[in-house]
Amino acid sequence: MKKKIAVIGSGFSGLSAAAYAAKAGNEVHVFEKHDQPGGRARQFTTDNGYVFDMGPSWYWMPDIIENFFADFGYKSSDFYKLVSLNPQFEMIFSDAKIAVPENYEELKQTVEHIETGAAAQLERFMESAKYKYKVGMQEFVNKPCYNWLEFASPKIAISVLKLDLLTNFRRYVSKYFKSPKLQALMEFPVIFLGASPKNIPALYSLMNYGGYVLGTHYPMGGFYSLVSAMKKVAENQSVHFHFNHSIEKIHVENNRVVSIETNGKILEFDSIIASSDYHHTESLLDAEYKNYDENYWKNRTFAPSSLIFYLGIKGRIPNLTHHTLFFENDLDVHIDCIYSGKKWPEKPLFYACCPSKTDAATAPENCENLFLLMPIATGINDEESIREHYLKEMLYRIEKHTGVSNLYDKIDYKKSYCVSEFIEDYNAYGGNAYGLANTLNQTAVLKPKIRNKKVNNLFYTGQLTVPGPGVPPAIISGKIVAKEVNKLKI
């Protein structure tokens, strides 16, 4: 039976859920507090000609994204041009750098130069990672995760040992590589999962395959091109979008959502899909209808927040690639500041994205578009003076790497974004940037549930529930929830 469904938020999970729910014949309305879709993947343009993606910048697992479009009879190329980056990225150490080539065979040669025998080890590592990717992304991540019985299939049972669920990622990587640089190269992708490699299951070597082997890409026009494309797909399924609409209250009667309150109006719906921050969504309910209390959230391990700078730079910056990771300092010391000390790091690691190297439209002529991101603890003081200190630190290290001087004086545009903005713009718990960390005790069934236990027509999607943080998982999350809503009897 056709349902009238409200989707709260238009991030990747919300766009995905809306499109799939509408495809099943439902009337779907998306409510977004901002004036454009995308959530953390919004985009803004400055008066002097810079175009900044606000969040995601790593286009990995292109097959998962392609699957979304295929489900509606499209290809990504119907909406944007996808460019394969070469090098995929550079990783800068105190005494060397590693450029990760586009071609996998060249990558094997690269690692062999660093450690004798590493090419053969990389082949073994990626063979196992490919298996995890195929099983993990086809079997594991598509479950609603109500209970462990969902995983009681012969294929998954046979795969359990090969998936290395009980081995931590750091120990797993060290079995293959002895070079600290290669270990850092292999560990880097799981930082996106929001925890130390010591606390992430080795299952997530699947990300190495999804990135290094399948390649790192860039959609021309910026990551927002994917947002625009998904919105167009949803609109083609007759989804209605309502921008500048904050949700003030979710009304429940007889253990069913009956309406939402937005911009002072009460609108009735048969079902709600919340892709907004999970904790915030529950704050819109009366206390007796919440899935989890405050104690629950206080005891979760959250992924980091981030200090971000959007910079327009006058002049070109030679010797800087599209993606550059500055790993001159110790990863574990930085991670301890995030999870143990809850303080600003003294010797930080950070990431620089310079999309103008690939896409001239993101900056005025003879200028660069520079996005800087440093992972930090949630809930810490992020006053302007602290932000400025770290900006100068990051620019100094870029100068040292590229040979360019006085970058600070060449700033043509500057905007910072940190804990406070994540809270203000996204109601993000503690100002987190990536949701819950994918630790073993926060994986699959152990994540917050996609369905409210007390309100049977309220569902949750996005980075705080299954399958977890990241753009491809968010898209999958929306599809999972739409299927569950479609099963609902009204």
Side-chain angles (χ1 to χ4, degrees):
M1 185 182 292
K2 181 178 177 180
K3 306 177 191 72
K4 188 177 180 184
I5 300 170
V7 176
I8 304 174
S10 65
F12 287 114
S13 64
L15 290 170
S16 173
Y20 282 110
K23 184 186 178 188
N26 300 301
E27 179 186 336
V28 180
H29 295 258
V30 177
F31 296 88
E32 169 58 54
K33 71 178 285 189
H34 297 106
D35 61 1
Q36 60 175 298
R40 285 166 168 80
R42 289 178 298 145
Q43 189 178 78
F44 71 94
T45 302
T46 69
D47 292 339
N48 54 349
Y50 296 94
V51 182
F52 291 101
D53 282 327
M54 293 190 70
S57 58
W58 290 83
Y59 197 107
W60 275 1
M61 303 184 186
D63 56 324
I64 304 300
I65 296 171
E66 210 61 56
N67 287 344
F68 169 81
F69 291 112
D71 282 344
F72 297 90
Y74 300 107
K75 303 184 294 294
S76 62
S77 58
D78 293 329
F79 302 96
Y80 53 82
K81 179 183 178 183
L82 197 60
V83 176
S84 178
L85 299 182
N86 190 28
Q88 298 186 42
F89 62 90
E90 282 191 341
M91 182 172 267
I92 310 303
F93 299 98
S94 59
D95 58 351
K97 71 176 183 181
I98 299 176
V100 175
E102 174 185 34
N103 183 279
Y104 176 57
E105 291 303 315
E106 290 179 20
L107 177 58
K108 289 199 287 187
Q109 295 172 26
T110 298
V111 301
E112 186 68 22
H113 285 311
I114 296 169
E115 180 181 318
T116 302
Q121 290 293 79
L122 181 66
E123 187 66 23
R124 288 180 57 236
F125 182 93
M126 288 301 181
E127 184 180 342
S128 177
K130 180 179 181 180
Y131 180 85
K132 294 183 180 76
Y133 188 84
K134 298 297 183 187
V135 174
M137 300 310 288
Q138 291 175 14
E139 299 285 330
F140 264 65
V141 300
N142 292 301
K143 308 289 186 187
C145 295
Y146 295 128
N147 58 66
W148 290 111
L149 290 175
E150 294 168 32
F151 299 91
S153 73
K155 185 171 182 180
I156 292 177
I158 291 168
S159 304
V160 165
L161 291 177
K162 290 185 179 180
L163 292 175
D164 294 301
L165 281 164
L166 300 178
T167 304
N168 79 58
F169 196 83
R170 170 152 295 167
R171 188 180 304 125
Y172 182 76
V173 167
S174 68
K175 290 195 311 186
Y176 291 89
F177 306 102
K178 302 306 175 193
S179 161
K181 292 183 176 63
L182 293 186
Q183 289 175 351
L185 180 66
M186 292 299 115
E187 288 180 356
F188 149 67
V190 303
I191 294 172
F192 288 127
L193 300 175
S196 166
K198 294 183 287 190
N199 298 320
I200 294 281
L203 164 70
Y204 290 106
S205 65
L206 63 85
M207 290 190 66
N208 298 86
Y209 177 81
Y212 299 177
V213 179
L214 297 184
T216 302
H217 301 79
Y218 173 80
M220 295 300 286
F223 220 97
Y224 192 71
S225 295
L226 174 57
V227 173
S228 298
M230 291 181 68
K231 177 176 180 279
K232 184 64 177 174
V233 169
E235 287 175 328
N236 289 347
Q237 308 305 309
S238 300
V239 172
H240 306 272
F241 284 87
H242 308 271
F243 296 107
N244 298 306
H245 277 69
S246 292
I247 307 302
E248 292 134 16
K249 184 72 177 175
I250 298 173
H251 296 285
V252 177
E253 291 178 10
N254 299 320
N255 297 320
R256 288 182 64 83
V257 168
V258 291
S259 62
I260 58 171
E261 194 168 334
T262 173
N263 292 7
K265 294 181 180 178
I266 294 176
L267 305 173
E268 294 183 355
F269 287 94
D270 299 315
S271 189
I272 307 289
I273 299 173
S275 76
S276 44
D277 178 90
Y278 202 125
H279 173 269
H280 171 70
T281 302
E282 299 233 287
S283 76
L284 304 174
L285 294 163
D286 290 335
E288 65 265 32
Y289 299 120
K290 294 181 181 182
N291 263 357
Y292 306 102
D293 61 17
E294 287 300 316
N295 240 11
Y296 174 87
W297 295 108
K298 286 176 184 174
N299 289 306
R300 296 307 93 192
T301 301
F302 276 83
S305 186
S306 295
L307 169 61
I308 298 171
F309 275 96
Y310 309 99
L311 302 174
I313 303 291
K314 290 180 181 177
R316 307 297 288 181
I317 306 176
N319 306 316
L320 188 69
T321 57
H322 188 120
H323 296 301
T324 310
L325 302 164
F326 287 83
F327 270 53
E328 306 101 311
N329 299 323
D330 190 291
L331 171 62
D332 286 339
V333 172
H334 187 134
I335 285 175
D336 284 346
C337 289
I338 294 172
Y339 292 107
S340 301
K342 287 282 186 179
K343 62 183 181 181
W344 286 87
E346 289 183 23
K347 296 183 176 180
L349 284 66
F350 72 97
Y351 156 62
C353 178
C354 192
S356 48
K357 296 295 182 185
T358 305
D359 189 351
T362 61
E365 188 176 355
N366 199 37
C367 295
E368 300 280 26
N369 177 314
L370 191 57
F371 169 98
L372 305 180
L373 182 150
M374 190 177 84
I376 59 171
T378 56
I380 59 174
N381 174 29
D382 62 350
E383 64 189 46
E384 195 60 36
S385 60
I386 297 174
R387 300 185 192 198
E388 277 291 298
H389 166 79
Y390 284 99
L391 171 60
K392 291 174 180 176
E393 157 85 6
M394 290 186 280
L395 290 178
Y396 167 75
R397 284 159 64 182
I398 293 172
E399 289 173 354
K400 189 176 176 182
H401 168 59
T402 62
V404 175
S405 58
N406 302 317
L407 276 177
Y408 192 88
D409 296 333
K410 296 174 182 175
I411 293 175
D412 193 29
Y413 176 84
K414 178 177 71 172
K415 176 184 173 73
S416 66
Y417 203 94
C418 201
V419 174
S420 301
E421 286 78 15
F422 279 106
I423 294 171
E424 182 180 347
D425 284 354
Y426 310 122
N427 303 297
Y429 187 87
N432 79 85
Y434 306 108
L436 284 180
N438 265 3
T439 56
L440 187 57
N441 63 353
Q442 292 182 167
T443 294
V445 174
L446 302 176
K447 285 187 181 295
K449 298 300 184 189
I450 66 167
R451 188 170 184 175
N452 190 289
K453 303 166 191 173
K454 302 159 189 174
V455 183
N456 67 5
N457 58 343
L458 173 59
F459 296 80
Y460 308 85
T461 185
Q463 61 185 10
L464 284 168
T465 183
V466 295
V471 174
I475 293 172
I476 292 168
S477 182
K479 183 176 183 179
I480 292 169
V481 168
K483 277 185 183 176
E484 296 305 301
V485 174
N486 289 338
K487 295 176 188 174
L488 190 66
K489 299 284 191 291
I490 59 171

